[in-house]
Amino acid sequence: MKPKIIDNFGREHTYLRISLTDRCNLRCFYCMPEDGIELVDKPNIMTLEEIIGISREFVDLGVDTIRLTGGEPLIRKNFSFLARELSNLGVTLKITTNGIVLDKYLDLFEEIGLKRINISLDTLDKAKSVFITKRDYFGRIMANVCECLKRGFDIKLNVVLINDVNDDEINDFIRLTESEHLDIKFIEFMPFKGNEWDWSKGVSEQRILDTVSEEFGKLTKLEDPAHSTSRNFRVKGYKGSFGIVSTVTNPFCAGCNRIRLTADGKMKNCLFAVSETDLLTPFRKGSSIQPVILNSIKEKKFSRDGMDLKMDADHYEQNRSMTSIGG
Ligand code: SAM
Ligand code: SF4
């Protein structure tokens, strides 16, 4: 029988999130440090063939779901070729994108059966979008969200809530779920290298629930899918739903089944993992990377790479920026 990617806590890892690039066409302040990031030299970035080859090894070890992320995954050159090849691996393929160039890929996604698209949209206000992302693409992103909904894609909107920036829009997002089959994912602001994290800027799961309940009354608790990273709800009678990714105040690590692969071919056992395992070098040498993957998962800590609820700056400042991990 084939070995599986099981950690010391008995968790089987079947979900691989691949960062296709550390580059991005936005500069969201909570993700990208003010001075940008040191980009990895091109020769050290996985080629498309290497991404496919390494993915194949993970699939052989039981991975059944792959999410493409970044940086911005849709700006990776020859993205269509890569997506087509990965869809042939027999996995459920998903993507997280800022949505700017989504319209160019919707036909492809229909063709290869990629249905689940997470789009990052932190505000419904154009001026605020420019403030958050430091670029002016709001109109294009909104048009693409509408087009995806029209075509029947399974859409989640990722909303990172920041105090005094977009915390006043929680219920505006909820209102979108009245008539649309749309899922809003409110995400607690998380700490990464250089993002000047301070929990006073964050909005907690409890505050989000209180804000929604105050206006919409008693919420229906939905059954959370296995390995879900969010707790999910619906306003009574609404078509869509919402969930909260409460990584800071109420982590959900017990059922974690995720592994990350950075654009330069490093395996990360956890979003907050400081240590990484190089898969690209042995892959380039032609050695089998399966034993490396199976060993690496044994180093996985139970929760948030061992950080306690205070989130230790000495720890997360040693991690990468979110834009180069692949969220
Ligand atoms: N560029 C794509 C996008 O924005 O969807 C994919 C990469 S982005 C790093 C993936 C997700 O991470 C986005 O939904 C983004 O909002 C989220 N994210 C980035 N920095 C974060 C932070 N400090 N705390 C919580 N979520 C964060
Ligand atoms: Fe924004 Fe995503 Fe780019 Fe980060 S990677 S700056 S969240 S668009």
Side-chain angles (χ1 to χ4, degrees):
M1 215 174 67
K2 269 274 159 209
K4 305 259 189 229
I5 311 171
I6 299 178
D7 70 5
N8 284 339
F9 305 93
R11 297 176 293 198
E12 186 182 339
H13 292 72
T14 54
Y15 187 169
L16 178 65
R17 300 167 74 97
I18 308 176
S19 172
L20 301 187
T21 175
D22 53 358
R23 286 156 205 263
C24 191
N25 41 4
L26 292 184
R27 293 285 178 277
C28 307
F29 70 82
Y30 54 77
C31 175
M32 182 82 80
E34 186 78 38
D35 305 328
I37 60 162
E38 207 176 306
L39 295 168
V40 175
D41 292 339
K42 214 161 165 224
N44 297 327
I45 295 284
M46 294 183 289
T47 64
L48 300 185
E49 288 70 20
E50 286 164 346
I51 295 174
I52 297 157
I54 292 175
S55 298
R56 203 172 272 129
E57 299 298 318
F58 275 102
V59 171
D60 203 38
L61 292 172
V63 162
D64 60 15
T65 305
I66 293 181
R67 179 176 295 277
L68 305 177
T69 179
E72 174 46 39
L74 292 178
I75 62 172
R76 177 76 197 236
K77 223 168 152 197
N78 293 327
F79 172 84
S80 301
F81 163 77
L82 176 70
R84 261 201 196 90
E85 291 296 313
L86 291 176
S87 73
N88 288 332
L89 296 182
V91 293
T92 302
L93 199 56
K94 306 178 181 181
I95 189 163
T96 299
T97 170
N98 60 32
I100 296 173
V101 294
L102 249 180
D103 47 308
K104 295 194 175 69
Y105 296 99
L106 295 180
D107 289 344
L108 169 77
F109 290 167
E110 283 176 352
E111 179 197 322
I112 65 176
L114 189 159
K115 297 192 182 71
R116 302 197 198 168
I117 308 177
N118 286 16
I119 305 174
S120 299
L121 183 74
D122 300 312
T123 175
L124 301 170
D125 177 272
K126 181 179 153 67
K128 240 191 248 184
S129 167
V130 173
F131 171 74
I132 294 170
T133 67
K134 304 199 180 93
R135 298 288 184 274
D136 184 4
Y137 287 117
F138 182 71
R140 272 165 76 167
I141 299 168
M142 285 303 275
N144 284 337
V145 170
C146 293
E147 181 63 17
C148 286
L149 289 170
K150 204 166 95 193
R151 291 197 187 201
F153 284 98
D154 185 353
I155 298 300
K156 288 192 171 116
L157 295 185
N158 284 359
V159 183
V160 179
L161 286 172
I162 310 279
N163 255 324
D164 299 329
V165 176
N166 58 352
D167 57 329
D168 58 338
E169 293 190 68
I170 295 172
N171 287 341
D172 295 339
F173 278 102
I174 296 293
R175 260 174 235 116
L176 299 180
T177 66
E178 181 171 6
S179 55
E180 296 289 351
H181 282 287
L182 179 66
D183 187 21
I184 309 292
K185 282 277 168 282
F186 294 116
I187 306 176
E188 288 183 346
F189 177 37
M190 298 180 235
F192 297 96
K193 182 178 180 174
N195 77 346
E196 296 183 16
W197 183 82
D198 172 348
W199 184 236
S200 68
K201 298 178 193 164
V203 181
S204 70
E205 172 180 53
Q206 194 53 54
R207 202 180 129 205
I208 298 165
L209 284 174
D210 291 346
T211 305
V212 181
S213 307
E214 206 170 291
E215 178 166 343
F216 299 97
K218 194 170 177 335
L219 302 169
T220 307
K221 174 77 188 77
L222 304 178
E223 196 175 322
D224 300 325
H227 313 294
S228 177
T229 56
S230 57
R231 297 182 182 83
N232 299 288
F233 303 85
R234 171 172 288 136
V235 173
K236 246 192 169 159
Y238 280 21
K239 278 193 180 161
S241 55
F242 75 98
I244 304 170
V245 181
S246 54
T247 317
V248 177
T249 64
N250 190 8
F252 36 74
C253 306
C256 183
N257 68 341
R258 289 145 196 249
I259 309 165
R260 292 179 157 79
L261 184 63
T262 62
D264 55 345
K266 308 284 193 304
M267 171 172 162
K268 278 176 96 76
N269 289 331
C270 170
L271 190 52
F272 298 108
V274 166
S275 74
E276 303 176 341
T277 302
D278 182 9
L279 299 183
L280 185 56
T281 304
F283 187 81
R284 283 184 174 171
K285 284 186 182 143
S287 332
S288 168
I289 59 166
Q290 292 195 4
V292 186
I293 295 170
L294 296 171
N295 277 336
S296 170
I297 205 69
K298 298 292 182 205
E299 301 297 320
K300 180 161 176 155
K301 309 262 174 48
F302 182 70
S303 180
R304 297 190 310 197
D305 203 39
M307 267 193 295
D308 66 15
L309 283 170
K310 288 200 294 291
M311 306 295 244
D312 182 1
D314 289 341
H315 192 113
Y316 64 74
E317 284 294 341
Q318 290 178 63
N319 193 1
R320 300 182 185 222
S321 297
M322 181 64 136
T323 185
S324 79
I325 298 171

